[in-house]
Every structure is written in structure tokens, then in C-alpha cells.
């Protein structure tokens, strides 16, 4: 990026009001880390932000959703303990449920607020930034010339065209759902990804009549058909799901003087159906927030999904421009710990601290969906492995339907697949739906990252009776299948 000019057009302020070494746009996880790092070396750093000065995770993401799930799990356990001889019915105070979600969210946010409040006021600007044709940052009444710019504007829920207008205040997103004062009676959730799945189950367990719709016959983006089918089976015991449905229209209608939402759709059999209820929670993914920022005026090119081209995944830098796009804004890996690393790297890079200016990409891809049973994917996916003709692989399997501790706990529904490489005796990846999946996933991620062999894994202790013994069973199945000639694998029965 060339150094911005002080001259402007008639449509912009006539004089630059401030010149800085570094301007950071966005104060989420990535932006805050970038600001802290840059401020260690540069005194003339400014951070610009519109909206809340916390993080997506705390305000509308990880933390409030897990708070809702925690309440839902308490209610579910109380209402589903008859098999243990415990008979109870949970009395759910919807207002208190939502109040605690917000109270605890505020508690977590207070730590971020305290940190932001400690920053000098002249380095913080509350307002919407726009980059003009001269590469200058317009915000409020200021025109800022920055030698280097870090864009960390995060992401927002994706809303299909026209839905906001048609649904009005009956539409919810993950940004607004936690502001509900009370639990509704009915809700449709559109989208069976991580967000949609978690919230659909949580609200169901809290007594809301929920209908989950998804275009694909798939949940949580699972790419192993067997794991996907098992997840649908396990979750279908309590969730009303219409998978493989195509939504044709949405809107509102007057129902006895009260406005309600409706969704018209074709089900998986091609039959026309309609849902009607209080709210539609749109959980169709998130998109980055850089479209209206004007980054193209800095020489940044975006693809058709607003993802920056020529992005260095090591530093967040765009080509050889003095522009860095980090966190959810670059639409790379929208996870808090990744955003943290990217912000840290960019903040170091602009200060020529090249030793610290690197992004630590996850050594092993790893995702968790916190529904019940949990869903985990680690390492390479099955389609990725199948595309590589050089790989000779086996699939070790274990069902949790009759796994000892799982059955004791009454959480015995699940399936784990471990993809093992015959040539290297290493784990390529894994996919799972089942109890304690978050812990099993961590163990497998550690094994892949540290290049542990199947034998190394089986040499470690597995305490009895634990759900983690299921991992050992799957590893033993991998080991057994490793000994079978590769050409014979298709004819072998799963002996797990």
C-alpha cells in the first residue's frame, strides 16, 4: 500500500486530522491482541470500533450459548431420570434462564471492559470506519492517515435475501437470540451447523417446541456418512428435524391478533409443508464484515464470498501491502484461538518484530459441536483421505451404544471412526458423535500433533471404567485392520 495522500475529494474531509503508524479497525479478539502488541513498540496507535468492545465469543458466541446449554442440560437430566428410578419434573423459569445467560455474559465481559478502559482515551475511537479512495480512514469527524492498517472487523450472521424484511421482529439470529427476555413457546431453527444444532437442542430441552430445518441431509457439517447418520439417529430422539428440506418462502401472518412467523418448504420427499410459530432463528452461518469497509481502496481484492485474496496465512498480510486482515474478517478459520494468534502476529509484524510475527495455524484441524451427544472432527476428513491415492488407510470403529461406562451413565449413543495410515502406523484423522467426545477429540489431536503411533497410543493407560475406554477399542480396531492386506479390507467385517 502506498502511503496515503493528505489530499481528498469534495466528498471527504479536506484535512487529515490525525497521522498514525498503525490503525486497527475492530476491537474483538484479533483487534485487541493486535492493539496490545503494536502498542508495546509504537506510541501512535489507534483502535477504531463500532458496537460492543468485547468479543464475538463473549457477546454472542461461545459463552452465552454454553450458558444456555448448561441450563438446558440441568433441565434435561431432571426430566429424564426415570430409568434410574428418579422421578422428577423440572419447573423451568424462562425469565431466570435468560437472565442468568446475560448476567454471566456480563461477568465475562467485565474483564475485557476493564482492560479496554485501561487504554488511553485518545487511542480509542468509537464509530464506524470507512476507507476512502485515497486510502484514508474516515470515522466520525476524523480523517486518519495510517502507515499500516490492521482490519479485524469480525463477522455477522448471514441472512438470506429478503428474510429480514419478511420476518421482521419474528426473526432471530445468534446475535439477538440471547436478548430474549423469556423462553418462547415455539421456534424454528434454520441451519443444522454447529450454531443451529446447539441452540435447537438447548431450547428443546428448556421446553420450547423447536423444529430444525436444513437443506442437506446432514448435521454439523459431518463428512463421514456413518457418523452423520449416527448423529441424526442420536439427536433425533429429542429433536424434530426436517433434513433435506428446501425453504421456498418465509413471512409473518396474523394469528388471532398476534403476529406469528411461517416457513413454507418442500420436505425431502418433495412434498409442500408449512411451519408456523413465534420465532425463526436463522443459523445459516456467518460472513465477514469487510464488504462495506472499502478495503478495495487499499488495493485489497476480494473473491465472490468477500474473502481477501493474496492473504498470507502466516502473518495475515495481503500481498506486499501494508494491510493485514485478521480474525473472522479474513474468513479463514473462524475460531477464537486462531483470531488471537492472528491478531498477535499482525500487531508484532507492524512493529517489525518478525520473530513474534507468525501465526500458529492449528497443527491439527479440530472442531467440537457442544450438542449432546457431542460431535468432534480431528485431523483429515474422510473425503480428504479418500482423494489421496497415495494413502492406504483403515477405519477403526467403536460404537458407544453398549460401551460400559456410557451405558452406566445412560448416555450410550454414539460412534467413533479413527482413520489410520497403514504405511506410517499414524492417525490421519477421526470423526465422532458420542459422550465425552470433546476429551477424546483432544487426545486424538494431541496424538496427531505429536506424531504418536497407534502403538504409542495403546501403550498409554486407559482407566476402567471410563468412557475413554471406547477410544482404546477403536485404536485396537485400527491396529487389527493394519495387519490385514490392504486389498482385503473391503471384505472384512467390523469386529469392534
Amino acid at each position: 500500500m502506498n502511503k496515503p495522500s493528505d489530499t481528498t475529494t469534495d466528498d471527504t474531509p479536506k484535512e487529515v486530522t490525525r497521522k498514525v503508524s498503525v490503525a486497527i479497525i475492530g476491537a474483538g479478539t484479533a483487534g485487541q491482541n493486535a492493539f496490545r502488541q503494536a502498542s508495546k513498540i509504537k506510541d501512535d496507535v489507534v483502535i477504531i470500533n463500532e458496537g460492543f468492545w468485547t468479543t464475538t465469543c463473549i457477546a454472542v458466541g461461545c459463552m452465552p450459548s454454553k450458558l444456555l446449554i448448561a441450563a438446558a442440560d440441568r433441565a434435561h437430566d431432571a426430566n429424564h431420570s426415570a430409568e434410574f428410578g428418579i422421578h422428577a419434573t423440572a419447573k423451568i423459569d424462562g425469565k431466570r434462564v435468560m437472565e442468568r445467560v446475560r448476567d454471566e455474559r456480563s461477568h465475562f465481559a467485565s474483564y475485557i471492559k476493564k482492560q479496554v478502559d485501561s487504554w488511553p482515551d485518545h487511542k480509542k475511537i468509537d464509530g464506524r470506519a470507512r476507507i476512502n479512495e485515497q486510502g484514508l480512514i474516515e470515522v466520525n469527524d476524523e480523517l486518519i492517515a495510517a502507515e499500516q492498517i490492521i482490519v479485524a472487523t469480525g463477522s455477522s450472521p448471514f441472512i438470506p435475501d429478503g428474510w429480514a424484511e419478511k420476518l421482521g421482529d419474528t426473526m432471530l439470529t445468534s446475535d439477538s437470540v440471547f436478548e430474549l427476555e423469556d423462553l418462547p413457546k415455539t421456534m424454528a431453527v434454520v441451519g443444522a451447523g454447529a450454531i443451529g444444532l446447539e441452540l435447537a437442542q438447548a431450547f428443546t430441552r428448556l421446553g420450547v417446541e423447536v423444529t430444525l430445518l436444513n437443506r442437506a441431509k446432514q448435521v454439523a457439517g459431518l463428512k463421514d456418512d456413518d457418523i452423520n447418520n449416527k448423529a441424526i439417529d442420536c439427536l433425533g430422539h429429542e429433536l424434530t428435524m426436517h433434513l433435506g428440506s428446501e425453504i421456498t418462502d418465509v413471512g409473518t401472518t396474523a394469528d388471532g391478533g398476534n403476529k406469528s412467523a411461517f416457513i413454507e418448504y418442500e420436505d425431502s420427499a418433495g412434498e409442500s409443508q408449512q411451519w408456523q410459530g413465534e420465532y425463526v432463528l436463522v443459523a445459516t452461518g456467518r460472513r465477514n464484515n469487510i464488504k462495506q469497509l472499502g478495503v478495495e481502496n487499499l488495493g485489497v481484492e476480494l473473491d465472490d464470498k468477500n474473502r481477501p485474496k493474496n492473504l498470507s496465512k502466516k502473518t495475515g498480510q495481503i500481498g506486499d501491502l501494508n494491510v493485514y486482515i485478521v480474525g473472522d474478517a479474513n474468513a479463514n478459520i473462524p475460531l477464537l484461538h486462531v483470531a488471537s494468534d492472528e491478531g498477535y502476529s499482525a500487531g508484532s509484524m507492524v512493529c517489525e518484530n518478525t520473530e513474534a510475527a507468525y501465526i500458529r495455524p492449528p497443527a491439527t484441524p479440530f472442531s467440537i459441536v457442544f450438542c449432546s451427544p457431542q460431535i468432534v472432527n480431528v485431523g483429515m476428513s474422510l473425503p480428504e483421505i479418500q482423494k489421496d491415492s497415495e494413502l492406504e488407510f483403515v477405519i477403526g470403529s467403536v460404537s458407544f451404544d453398549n460401551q460400559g461406562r456410557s451405558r452406566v451413565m445412560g448416555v450410550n449413543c454414539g460412534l467413533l471412526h479413527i482413520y489410520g495410515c497403514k504405511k506410517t502406523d499414524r492417525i490421519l484423522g477421526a470423526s465422532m458423535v458420542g459422550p465425552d467426545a470433546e476429551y477424546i477429540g483432544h487426545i486424538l489431536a494431541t496424538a496427531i500433533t505429536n506424531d504418536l503411533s497407534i502403538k504409542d497410543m495403546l501403550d498409554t493407560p486407559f482407566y476402567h471404567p471410563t468412557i475413554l475406554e471406547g477410544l482404546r477399542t477403536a485404536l485396537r480396531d485400527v491396529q487389527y485392520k493394519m495387519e490385514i492386506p490392504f486389498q482385503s479390507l473391503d471384505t472384512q467385517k467390523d469386529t469392534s
Side-chain angles (χ1 to χ4, degrees):
M1 180 182 74
N2 294 325
K3 189 174 180 178
S5 169
D6 289 2
T7 61
T8 62
T9 67
D10 291 338
D11 296 330
T12 60
K14 293 184 178 181
E15 294 184 3
V16 170
T17 58
R18 193 188 310 203
K19 294 182 179 181
V20 297
S21 296
V22 185
I24 297 153
I25 305 175
T29 299
Q32 290 186 23
N33 270 1
F35 179 79
R36 283 194 296 269
Q37 283 305 106
S39 297
K40 290 178 181 179
I41 309 242
K42 303 282 187 178
D43 187 56
D44 57 339
V45 179
V46 66
I47 184 166
I48 306 163
N49 186 66
E50 181 185 33
F52 53 79
W53 284 71
T54 57
T55 68
T56 296
C57 173
I58 286 176
V60 296
C62 322
M63 303 314 287
S65 64
K66 302 312 168 285
L67 285 161
L68 190 74
I69 289 169
D73 288 347
R74 293 291 182 95
H76 179 80
D77 288 345
N79 287 327
H80 295 82
S81 296
E83 66 175 300
F84 297 94
I86 311 297
H87 300 276
T89 301
K91 181 180 179 181
I92 298 170
D93 181 344
K95 290 184 178 180
R96 179 56 192 145
V97 168
M98 299 309 297
E99 184 180 45
R100 181 178 185 269
V101 168
R102 288 189 292 273
D103 286 349
E104 288 299 311
R105 178 180 64 178
S106 295
H107 172 77
F108 294 124
S110 67
Y111 295 101
I112 302 294
K113 184 178 184 300
K114 184 178 180 180
Q115 177 177 264
V116 171
D117 287 346
S118 71
W119 298 343
D121 287 341
H122 71 278
K123 294 187 177 184
K124 297 178 292 187
I125 300 176
D126 194 346
R128 173 175 290 191
R130 178 185 172 275
I131 299 167
N132 67 20
E133 292 179 356
Q134 286 72 44
L136 303 171
I137 302 171
E138 300 176 4
V139 55
N140 301 335
D141 296 326
E142 290 206 59
L143 186 65
I144 301 171
E147 293 177 8
Q148 309 205 58
I149 296 176
I150 298 174
V151 177
T153 46
S155 63
S156 299
F158 171 73
I159 310 297
D161 290 342
W163 282 28
E165 293 77 17
K166 289 182 176 182
L167 290 168
D169 57 9
T170 68
M171 187 186 82
L172 298 169
T173 69
S174 56
D175 278 7
S176 62
V177 68
F178 304 112
E179 307 310 317
L180 287 173
E181 293 294 325
D182 200 351
L183 295 170
K185 290 182 174 61
T186 55
M187 175 187 290
V189 177
V190 180
I195 296 172
L197 207 55
E198 289 180 1
L199 294 179
Q201 186 181 57
F203 279 112
T204 295
R205 291 184 165 192
L206 289 166
V208 181
E209 186 181 317
V210 176
T211 299
L212 177 65
L213 297 105
N214 198 56
R215 180 181 296 179
K217 293 182 179 180
Q218 182 185 49
V219 295
L222 284 166
K223 298 177 181 179
D224 183 318
D225 288 343
D226 290 341
I227 303 298
N228 182 59
N229 291 335
K230 188 61 178 180
I232 293 170
D233 175 56
C234 293
L235 292 163
H237 293 307
E238 59 180 301
L239 269 179
T240 299
M241 297 186 286
H242 296 289
L243 306 177
S245 297
E246 184 75 25
I247 294 176
T248 56
D249 197 15
V250 299
T252 59
T253 184
D255 183 13
N258 296 319
K259 184 167 67 172
S260 63
F262 71 81
I263 298 175
E264 293 179 354
Y265 64 98
E266 289 185 1
D267 62 23
S268 58
E271 299 290 330
S272 295
Q273 305 288 349
Q274 186 182 76
W275 172 91
Q276 187 170 322
E278 286 184 70
Y279 290 103
V280 174
L281 172 57
V282 182
T284 49
R286 297 180 70 90
R287 300 292 187 273
N288 62 11
N289 290 330
I290 61 176
K291 187 175 183 180
Q292 306 302 322
L293 186 59
V295 291
E296 67 277 4
N297 292 323
L298 299 173
V300 177
E301 293 185 55
L302 304 177
D303 65 16
D304 58 353
K305 294 185 179 179
N306 297 324
R307 296 172 301 197
K309 298 180 180 179
N310 302 319
L311 172 74
S312 168
K313 293 187 177 181
K314 292 183 178 180
T315 63
Q317 187 173 10
I318 305 298
D320 59 358
L321 301 174
N322 292 335
V323 183
Y324 302 79
I325 301 182
V326 294
D328 289 4
N330 66 31
N332 179 24
I333 304 175
L335 297 172
L336 181 142
H337 53 279
V338 175
S340 178
D341 279 346
E342 290 181 356
Y344 178 89
S345 171
S348 300
M349 190 73 173
V350 297
C351 298
E352 299 179 358
N353 180 10
T354 54
E355 185 176 338
Y358 69 95
I359 295 171
R360 295 173 296 163
T364 303
F366 185 18
S367 66
I368 304 174
V369 181
F370 292 90
C371 53
S372 181
Q374 295 174 339
I375 295 171
V376 160
N377 290 292
V378 184
M380 296 177 70
S381 69
L382 184 56
E384 288 173 335
I385 294 168
Q386 291 170 331
K387 283 180 182 178
D388 191 335
S389 59
E390 299 293 316
L391 289 176
E392 294 185 5
F393 70 96
V394 300
I395 301 177
S397 177
V398 63
S399 168
F400 285 84
D401 293 2
N402 281 303
Q403 195 271 334
R405 181 66 182 276
S406 300
R407 192 168 184 86
V408 167
M409 301 296 291
V411 291
N412 50 308
C413 191
L415 180 66
L416 166 63
H417 277 178
I418 297 176
Y419 316 125
C421 179
K422 284 178 69 72
K423 289 183 179 179
T424 65
D425 191 38
R426 298 301 191 269
I427 298 169
L428 298 169
S431 188
M432 174 182 178
V433 56
D436 278 1
E438 60 182 294
Y439 307 114
I440 292 173
H442 274 92
I443 292 171
L444 288 167
T446 298
I448 296 171
T449 302
N450 291 282
D451 199 32
L452 300 181
S453 68
I454 301 298
K455 183 180 184 303
D456 291 332
M457 292 291 289
L458 286 170
D459 283 345
T460 60
F462 289 87
Y463 206 86
H464 175 77
T466 63
I467 291 173
L468 294 179
E469 286 179 292
L471 170 59
R472 181 179 60 187
T473 302
L475 289 168
R476 284 176 172 170
D477 194 37
V478 172
Q479 188 179 60
Y480 166 72
K481 290 175 178 175
M482 292 284 197
E483 299 170 358
I484 302 171
F486 184 69
Q487 294 80 4
S488 304
L489 285 173
D490 289 340
T491 63
Q492 300 298 319
K493 289 184 66 177
D494 182 2
T495 60
S496 61

